[in-house]
Amino acid sequence: MTSGEETDRSVMNVETVYHEVNSKNGWASFYQSIRSECEAFEYTCNESKKPQNKTLNRYRDVAPYDHTRIILKRGVCDYIHANLIQVDHAERQYILTQGPLPNTVSHFWLMVLEQNSRAVLMLNKIIEKNQIKCHQYFPLDDVKPTLTFEDVSIKVDYISKKESSDYTTRTLRITDLESNDSREVLHFHYTTWPDFGVPQRPTAFLRFLADVRKSGALDQNVGPPIVHCSAGIGRSGTFCLVDACLVLIEKYGLNALNVRHELLEMRRSRMGLIQTPEQLCFSYAAIIQGAKQLPLENMDINNETTYDEIITTYDEMNNKSNHPLERDDEPPPLPPPRGESLTRSMMADLSPDDEVSGPPDKPLPSEPPNHVELSDTNLSTSISNYVCEQHADDGVVLDESLSNDAENSILTNNSPSNSDAKGEVRRRKTEKNERLATQIREMKRRGKEMEERQTVKRSLFKITPLKIGLGFVSGGIIAICCYLYMRS
């Protein structure tokens, strides 16, 4: 994208920008231009790199900037993986954070208490794609209605909940055990954001946002809401961008909004907001459709017919779901146990080129149903597990979720003229998968051989001293017999 095109888009109507980018399948390059501009940022993340704080980060490559990080006031540790994002001209502020870890749950609730937050917005499930994305940090009604955190002197109690089709709203009570002061906190848990995608339509998302607004959780007279997913940048960034932009449309009109500029400004407070081109596309669509229903607070949350126009418009703009689904937050998993380091060293030795030892590509979006997928389920699972392990060692930067925009443009273009190119891409992917499978088999073989060698060594270690001892005894007996024979 040229600088002239970017300048033109800055003064274009939001819906016009959407249609232009959409018609050219240009979301990857549009998103790349935003990432490229953010590369000039020189903000530090020194606190997150301190030895005592490293275990408090869920992912290696997502760190809070020092200049906007939340500082805890109580306890021996003032660090928490969270940033304050302020959008002054929209009179909005948000605290974006990662999904709590087992060792950061107490810090999380201390932040809620100290920041006087009215609500917590949770945009992920506890477990997604068979991986734990967030610790169970809030109390459940029947299982464990009270959680107490002695290290920060805080207690959290369950009070009630309200179930909706796409999210659950819980009312909790947080109590400061030092002062015995308590207050209610709302917990909005969005439960239907797909594991491998953005919502197919913004309908449910806008309904969720309207309910959050109605609660007063985003008002200026309370502390900033705590917004999180797993890493706190993808879905969390999408929520904040859409909400802030809709506020600006209410204040200044649709034609005065520059979504790209607002995202860049928000990224100055926390790295990597909006994680993929598909999230960016969804944000634009949600802003456009939300603008048709302003003010959102007056929407009838329970009236499905209110959304007919929105649903129709979104389907038309997306040409009947012509876009790939967004991948969920998929940063590299936590570092493996030290016992696995030997296996990783063996894999490094087996790598024939940089393709395996370097950061692997993330899985491509699901292709339309008429495409043929790999039939070997076990092979796909093995490769997927291996790729996840390699992410942990190689430190893949979350914001670089599409490392090859050209390749993804080929895969997302449904034109028949690109069938040969698609076939070539699939062939390369298949070859890469076969190489990975071969290397995994070789790794297991070498691991078994090494284990057998270690077993033999241990056996020799036990047997050899016995042989040496017997040798000394037999030698002594022979010497005594020779001596007695010579004396006789």
Side-chain angles (χ1 to χ4, degrees), residues 275-289:
Q275 200 181 342
T276 66
E278 291 76 26
Q279 281 180 345
L280 184 61
C281 172
F282 175 80
S283 298
Y284 268 82
I287 291 167
I288 293 167
Q289 295 174 32

Side-chain angles (χ1 to χ4, degrees), residues 32-46:
Q32 178 60 41
S33 71
I34 295 173
R35 282 178 45 201
S36 298
E37 190 162 339
C38 293
E39 291 175 358
F41 295 167
E42 296 181 351
Y43 305 120
T44 62
C45 303
N46 295 330

Side-chain angles (χ1 to χ4, degrees), residues 212-447:
V212 172
R213 285 187 170 191
K214 277 183 140 181
S215 73
L218 304 177
D219 294 348
Q220 288 290 294
N221 61 346
V222 296
I226 310 296
V227 186
H228 80 84
C229 40
S230 183
I233 62 174
R235 287 174 277 193
S236 299
T238 301
F239 176 90
C240 296
L241 180 65
V242 173
D243 175 59
C245 286
L246 288 176
V247 172
L248 294 174
I249 290 173
E250 288 184 80
K251 294 182 66 174
Y252 305 111
L254 189 65
N255 293 331
L257 177 65
N258 183 344
V259 178
R260 184 180 188 277
H261 171 77
E262 297 303 326
L263 177 55
L264 284 169
E265 288 302 305
M266 293 173 71
R267 277 184 165 222
R268 293 183 180 275
S269 297
R270 183 166 174 82
M271 65 166 60
L273 300 186
I274 305 294
Q275 200 181 342
T276 66
E278 291 76 26
Q279 281 180 345
L280 184 61
C281 172
F282 175 80
S283 298
Y284 268 82
I287 291 167
I288 293 167
Q289 295 174 32
K292 300 177 186 296
Q293 298 292 320
L294 291 174
L296 289 183
E297 292 88 331
N298 295 335
M299 295 171 66
D300 185 354
I301 303 299
N302 299 313
N303 188 356
E304 293 290 342
T305 60
T306 306
Y307 299 92
D308 288 346
E309 181 183 354
I310 300 178
I311 293 172
T312 303
T313 304
Y314 185 72
D315 282 344
E316 290 174 354
M317 286 192 298
N318 282 277
N319 192 22
K320 302 298 182 182
S321 301
N322 192 32
H323 291 288
L325 294 177
E326 169 218 16
R327 277 140 309 198
D328 177 41
D329 290 329
E330 284 187 349
L334 290 170
R338 291 181 61 86
E340 297 183 20
S341 60
L342 178 61
T343 303
R344 303 210 187 286
S345 298
M346 292 165 59
M347 278 305 306
D349 293 338
L350 290 170
S351 302
D353 48 41
D354 292 338
E355 195 169 48
V356 175
S357 60
D361 295 333
K362 295 178 65 180
L364 290 170
S366 301
E367 293 191 13
N370 59 329
H371 288 280
V372 179
E373 301 290 343
L374 287 175
S375 59
D376 192 341
T377 305
N378 295 329
L379 176 61
S380 300
T381 303
S382 299
I383 293 171
S384 176
N385 293 338
Y386 167 71
V387 168
C388 288
E389 290 181 355
Q390 288 297 301
H391 271 300
D393 279 348
D394 298 320
V396 178
V397 177
L398 238 169
D399 195 33
E400 299 189 7
S401 54
L402 289 181
S403 59
N404 191 332
D405 289 336
E407 182 175 83
N408 281 277
S409 295
I410 293 173
L411 287 173
T412 56
N413 191 338
N414 291 327
S415 172
S417 62
N418 286 319
S419 58
D420 293 339
K422 289 182 181 179
E424 177 64 18
V425 170
R426 288 197 204 92
R427 185 186 63 78
R428 291 201 300 266
K429 290 292 181 182
T430 302
E431 290 178 354
K432 181 177 180 180
N433 289 344
E434 291 174 351
R435 287 199 300 272
L436 290 176
T438 301
Q439 290 165 352
I440 291 171
R441 289 194 294 270
E442 180 66 13
M443 178 189 71
K444 291 180 179 179
R445 185 188 65 78
R446 291 187 59 178

Side-chain angles (χ1 to χ4, degrees), residues 30 36 65 79 90 116 125 133 156 195 201 248 257 263 305 308 341 413 438-439 448 464 472:
F30 189 29
S36 298
Y65 288 141
Y79 176 81
N116 193 35
K125 298 177 184 177
K133 292 298 187 81
V156 181
D195 290 352
R201 300 184 182 117
L248 294 174
L257 177 65
L263 177 55
T305 60
D308 288 346
S341 60
N413 191 338
T438 301
Q439 290 165 352
K448 186 175 181 180
T464 301
F472 276 118

Side-chain angles (χ1 to χ4, degrees), residues 24 114 144 164 199 248 300 305 455 475 480:
K24 298 178 180 178
E114 292 182 343
K144 196 172 184 180
S164 300
L248 294 174
D300 185 354
T305 60
T455 301
I480 292 172

